Every structure is written in structure tokens, then in C-alpha cells.
């Protein structure tokens, strides 16, 4: 006799169609998406998600960070719900699946439960966390960070994008600032389905990543100040070249990350040069260093060495520097019970699986601080993400959503 729900499967066509429908909102220039947080496109995507949730009989709540919580009632409404979700905002040159798979995978679970007329003891809440990417407004995982009590809401409301627009004002402008206090919801467990955003699962031909840990991250925003001068008539020894300083720091970050292989990573993805004129030596550069490691000691060691190196580089070039930490979380270990539910589901469903450490940050990394949390990963083509060419197969999406389905309903407890 099969255990309750043993043969549950999501409807993979419906999931895929929903992902493709969402992908039409905030199209990129190369087949992916540019649906950055709190833009009109983000607002449009939120409305579509809300319509779908209401069509599935869910009750929508929105908190003061704009995070969306779509609730399916349980037979015991007073029990804390099982939350399942991710984010709908994308990078400026993002893919169709990063975050979206996790939100719509959660919605697909509800749609399937409705279709099968299955009830669960605990309510289930499908979640869209605001500003996971941190591309338009730093830091990443912003709303989940406020929910977990590690970021201050009033502070992040004042964070500005490159055009000087404030987060709090943009949230009001798109009409998605809710009234619910952030972080008051009680979470029985949280599950997040996400593409791996790396090459391991595809290279090894494995369907499911059972995410045991998430690596730690630091974002250091550096401002170098030299002196603007003529690129033609200024003798080399008299230059205070902030552009050269940035180039040397970028090389330094790479070299230091290479010292801690195979796991540490480091790069500079955000760079601004002022005045950015062909024949003016850069007087000021602003850029963000992104370093990560599964080991806190390594992350701290890289941080320290980079700061020392910046001091040496600036001394030699006679330029000034400021360093501001604009993002940080230590490596996380996900809840063993939830991780087991994911692993058992993959096993039961006959999917190949392996333990994996998440290279990317996710909302689950913060929610893990306030509730038992785990993640399910599926492969992506060439391990590529944060690139409009990001691609997955329908089968990978279905396998991930099936495993998510089982882990969620097992935790929410099916009512016979
Ligand atoms: O930066 C990250 O790891 C995530 O994609 N926001
Ligand atoms: Mn993501
Ligand atoms: Mn991302």
C-alpha cells in the first residue's frame, strides 16, 4: 500500500507554461529577462502571480517589504504553515528560471493539491520574496534579510539605485508596499527550489541537488579617489589614476581567490568610472568586490588580505580609498530534517541525487535563521546563470518540482 502521496507528481506542462508566461514580462534583449526589483515589469509580474494565486483559491498577504504570501488553508488553520517559494525579480541580464522556478514550482504544488483534492494539516504558503537579486538595490536577499531580522527595514528603505531612486519610494510607486509587519509570520518549515546556477549536476548527469549548505558571501563596495587630468599632457609619474587602482584591485581579488581553491571565488562585477571620458584620467572609481567561500575562516582571511592589498595599491598610486561592506552572510547549514525530507523524496521518486553546497545566495539562506529550511536544486545548461542564455529542460524542472512537492506535503502532513 503506497504511503499517502507516494505517487504524487506535479503537472509539468502547466508548470512549464506558467514559467514561459512569466518570462514574457520584462523581456531582456537576448531572450532572457530584465525584470529588476520594483520596476514596472516587477509590478506586472507580481500582478500576474497574484491573479494565478487567486485563481487557485489562495489568500494573498503582502508585508511592508512587498513580499507576497499566498496561503492555502490547512485543516488545522492554527498550525504554522509550510512556506515554499523563491523570487520573481531578475538580474538586468537574467534568465527565465532563476527564482521563478521556485515561486511557480510552489504554485504548481498548490494547483496539483487542488486538482487531487488533497488536504494538508498545516496551511501552505507560496512566497515571492522582494529583491532577492540585489542588482538594483544592494544587498541581495534584502526582504528575506529584513524578515530574518538581520537587515533593518528603515535603513534599506533608504538604499538607492544608480539613478538615486530610493527602495522605499519605488516600493510605494509600484503599489506593492503591504501593511503586514515584516517577520511576524510563524514558519513551520521553508523549502526553496532553485536552478543550481553552476555546472556540477549537469556534468555528473544528476537530476537533483540536495542542498546541505550555502556558502558565505561578502560584498565590499570600494571608492577610489585620485585626480582627473589630461591623458595626453600629464606625465606618467604625476598621475593619480583611480582607473589603474581599480584594475590592480580586480587582479588582486582574483589572485587571492585562486589561493583558496577549489572552493573560494572572487570577482568584481559592478564597476563605475568617473568621468568616464576617453581623454581624462579616471579621478574616481566605484566598484563592488564579491567574495565567497563555504568556510567562514577563508571568507574572513580573503577579506583581510584584500583590505591590506587595497591599502598598498593606493599608497603606491597616491590615491585615497573607502571600503563599505554592502552585503554579508556567513556560510549556512540547512536543517537536517528538511534536508532529509528532500533526499528521501528524490530517492522515493527514483531521481538521481547528490549533496551539494549552494554557490549562490538564496532567500533560504536567511530564512534558515528563523525556521527549519532546505533547498532543492535542478541542473541548468552549461551551469550558466545570470546570463540571458540561462536554460533548463522541462524534465529537470519537473523533477525538481516533484521533489519539492513531496518534501512540502510530507512536512505539511496529508490528511487522509
Ligand atoms: O548573488 C547571489 O548569489 C544571488 O543570485 N542573488
Ligand atoms: Mn535566485
Ligand atoms: Mn540570481
Amino acid at each position: 500500500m503506497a504511503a499517502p502521496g507516494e505517487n504524487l507528481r506535479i503537472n509539468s506542462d502547466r508548470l512549464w507554461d506558467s514559467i514561459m508566461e512569466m518570462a514574457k514580462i520584462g523581456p531582456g534583449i537576448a531572450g532572457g529577462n530584465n525584470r529588476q526589483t520594483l520596476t514596472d515589469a516587477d509590478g506586472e509580474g507580481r500582478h500576474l502571480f497574484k491573479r494565478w494565486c487567486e485563481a487557485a483559491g489562495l489568500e494573498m498577504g503582502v508585508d511592508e517589504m512587498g513580499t507576497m504570501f499566498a496561503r492555502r488553508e490547512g485543516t488545522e488553520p492554527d498550525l504554522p504553515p509550510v512556506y515554499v517559494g523563491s523570487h520573481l525579480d531578475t538580474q538586468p541580464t537574467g534568465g527565465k528560471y532563476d527564482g521563478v522556478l521556485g515561486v511557480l514550482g510552489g504554485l504548481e504544488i498548490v494547483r496539483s493539491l487542488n486538482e487531487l483534492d488533497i488536504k494538508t494539516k498545516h496551511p501552505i504558503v507560496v512566497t515571492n520574496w522582494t529583491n532577492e537579486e540585489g542588482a538594483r538595490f544592494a544587498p541581495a536577499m534584502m526582504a528575506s534579510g529584513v524578515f530574518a531580522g538581520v537587515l533593518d527595514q528603515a535603513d534599506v528603505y533608504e538604499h538607492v539605485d544608480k539613478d538615486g531612486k530610493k527602495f522605499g519610494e519605488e516600493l510605494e510607486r509600484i503599489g506593492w508596499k503591504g501593511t503586514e509587519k515584516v517577520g511576524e509570520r510563524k514558519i513551520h518549515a521553508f523549502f526553496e527550489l532553485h536552478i543550481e546556477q553552476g555546472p556540477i549536476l549537469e556534468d555528473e548527469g544528476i537530476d537533483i541537488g540536495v542542498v546541505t549548505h550555502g556558502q558565505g558571501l561578502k560584498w565590499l563596495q570600494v571608492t577610489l579617489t585620485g585626480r582627473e587630468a589630461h591623458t595626453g599632457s600629464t606625465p606618467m609619474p604625476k598621475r593619480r589614476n583611480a582607473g589603474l587602482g581599480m584594475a590592480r584591485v580586480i587582479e588582486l581579488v582574483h589572485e587571492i581567490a585562486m589561493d583558496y581553491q577549489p572552493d573560494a571565488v572572487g570577482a568584481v562585477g559592478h564597476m563605475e568610472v568617473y568621468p568616464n571620458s576617453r581623454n581624462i584620467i579616471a579621478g574616481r572609481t566605484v566598484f563592488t568586490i564579491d567574495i565567497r567561500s563555504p568556510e567562514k575562516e577563508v571568507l574572513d582571511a580573503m577579506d583581510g588580505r584584500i583590505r591590506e592589498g587595497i591599502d598598498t595599491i593606493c599608497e603606491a598610486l597616491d590615491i585615497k580609498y573607502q571600503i563599505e561592506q554592502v552585503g554579508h552572510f556567513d556560510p549556512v547549514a540547512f536543517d537536517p530534517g528538511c534536508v532529509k525530507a528532500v533526499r528521501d523524496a528524490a530517492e522515493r521518486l527514483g531521481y538521481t541525487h547528490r549533496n551539494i553546497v549552494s554557490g549562490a545566495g538564496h532567500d533560504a539562506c536567511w530564512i534558515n535563521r528563523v525556521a527549519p529550511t532546505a533547498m532543492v536544486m535542478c541542473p541548468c545548461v552549461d551551469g550558466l546563470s545570470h546570463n540571458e542564455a540561462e536554460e533548463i529542460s522541462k524534465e529537470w524542472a519537473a523533477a525538481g518540482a516533484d521533489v519539492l512537492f513531496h518534501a512540502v506535503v510530507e512536512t505539511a502532513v496529508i490528511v487522509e
Side-chain angles (χ1 to χ4, degrees), residues 28-49:
I29 52 174
N33 274 111
N34 179 5
R35 194 172 54 244
Q36 295 181 68
T37 195
L38 308 189
T39 58
D40 293 341
D42 180 26
E44 202 186 324
R46 288 162 172 266
H47 281 297
L48 176 59
F49 175 58

Side-chain angles (χ1 to χ4, degrees), residues 397-410:
D402 280 339
V403 170
L404 185 75
F405 193 1
H406 279 242
V408 165
V409 294
E410 186 184 306

Side-chain angles (χ1 to χ4, degrees), residues 221-226 249 285 287 306-315 319-323:
Q221 181 168 298
V222 181
T223 302
L224 301 184
T225 307
V249 172
T285 53
F287 52 98
I306 286 169
R307 291 172 189 268
E308 281 167 20
I310 289 173
D311 190 66
T312 307
I313 288 166
C314 291
E315 174 91 25
I319 55 181
K320 294 191 177 11
Y321 69 88
Q322 277 175 302
I323 302 172

